[in-house]
Amino acid sequence: MTIPGSRNLADMGRRRAPWLWLFVLCAPLTVVPGLAQTRPAGFVDAATVVPGLVVDMRYAGTDNFVGRPVAGYERPLCLLTRAAAAALAEVQRDLAARGLGLKVFDCYRPARAVAAFVHWARDPADRARPEFYPRVDKRNLFRDGYIAVRSGHSRGSTVDLTLVRLADRQELDMGNPFDLFDARSALRHPGLPEAARRNRAVLAGALRSRGFRAYSKEWWHYTLANEPYPGTTFDFPIR
């Protein structure tokens, strides 16, 4: 879910609104506020562009590390920039020749959702779903690079995804599930079973060939290298 970002948080006070806190931390970037904002023309529903895409938007429901729907996820849609969706469609076509396809867990992420993650991570009383971080103290999720105060997802060209068999839409074995905050989630973790290592390599190779770059700590996380809005953080809701 995350790309490397600023991990040292100043204590702005727990009474400060999370979205304002995020705005201050992200001041060097262009932030497009989401209040009453509609989807920009440069964004599309990826399911309308990528044939056969399986969509399982985890933050629109309860099957995620905070255990509840996250702010800004009003509908379970995979929104991406047109460029990222078009590149993902090429990946899907490439994989189809092998009887495989893509399943997405997260795509565009509003800045308000990132702020909600920040607020959750700094609340020691809110344990939510510790099975997602069984060996990591949630207070260290920023330090360890699993959550960032600025997320590439908010630029619209980052996607969290896995492989499925086209025949039954079942996920391939990747060694561990999506959003497990653990060293085993690293793209090239040395302790992987052979099948999981091979499946991660297939996913990485297919995405890399169409212009996506990986995040080494999360096997599911990819960003279009030539993204159209590299300096813009969006906050329009997913609806």
Side-chain angles (χ1 to χ4, degrees):
M1 64 168 267
T2 305
I3 63 171
S6 173
R7 301 174 192 159
N8 296 319
L9 300 177
D11 187 0
M12 304 292 290
R14 295 185 61 184
R15 298 175 64 88
R16 191 181 296 274
W19 66 267
L20 179 59
W21 179 13
L22 181 70
F23 179 85
V24 172
L25 289 171
C26 297
L29 299 178
T30 300
V31 179
V32 181
L35 299 178
Q37 186 187 17
T38 57
R39 184 197 311 175
F43 282 71
V44 297
D45 179 351
T48 66
V49 176
V50 184
L53 182 68
V54 180
V55 179
D56 181 12
M57 296 293 288
R58 294 293 181 85
Y59 302 135
T62 60
D63 187 13
N64 57 62
F65 61 90
V66 299
R68 54 186 175 267
V70 179
Y73 288 84
E74 298 179 10
R75 292 182 62 194
L77 298 178
C78 172
L79 302 183
L80 290 171
T81 62
R82 292 182 183 276
L88 210 61
E90 294 297 321
V91 176
Q92 183 83 326
R93 281 189 277 270
D94 294 344
L95 289 170
R98 308 174 67 163
L100 301 174
L102 297 170
K103 179 177 184 176
V104 292
F105 300 116
D106 195 30
C107 302
Y108 159 71
R109 181 183 304 162
R112 69 190 72 185
V114 180
F117 292 155
V118 171
H119 181 76
W120 168 84
R122 293 181 62 85
D123 183 357
D126 188 354
R127 290 283 294 163
R129 300 283 300 277
E131 65 268 29
F132 284 88
Y133 47 100
R135 298 191 288 186
V136 179
D137 188 320
K138 65 177 291 187
R139 294 172 298 182
N140 296 330
L141 291 174
F142 292 97
R143 184 200 68 187
D144 295 343
Y146 295 113
I147 300 178
V149 296
R150 289 199 289 258
S151 173
H153 283 278
S154 299
R155 303 194 300 267
S157 294
T158 292
V159 61
D160 294 338
L161 73 180
T162 192
L163 293 173
V164 296
R165 295 190 299 263
L166 288 180
D168 57 10
R169 293 190 163 193
Q170 291 300 303
E171 295 179 27
L172 271 61
D173 177 17
M174 292 293 181
N176 61 266
F178 163 68
D179 253 5
L180 179 69
F181 301 145
D182 191 273
R184 292 172 293 172
S185 293
L187 180 60
R188 296 181 178 85
H189 188 269
L192 293 174
E194 175 59 24
R197 184 198 63 77
R198 183 173 60 250
N199 291 336
R200 290 188 187 187
V202 170
L203 180 64
L207 286 156
R208 184 171 56 248
S209 69
R210 294 299 180 177
F212 288 88
R213 64 176 186 271
Y215 175 43
S216 64
K217 287 196 172 186
E218 296 174 346
W219 61 258
W220 54 81
H221 181 109
Y222 288 85
T223 299
L224 186 67
N226 192 26
E227 57 183 309
Y229 305 110
T232 302
T233 295
F234 292 94
D235 190 34
F236 61 92
I238 300 170
R239 57 168 63 124

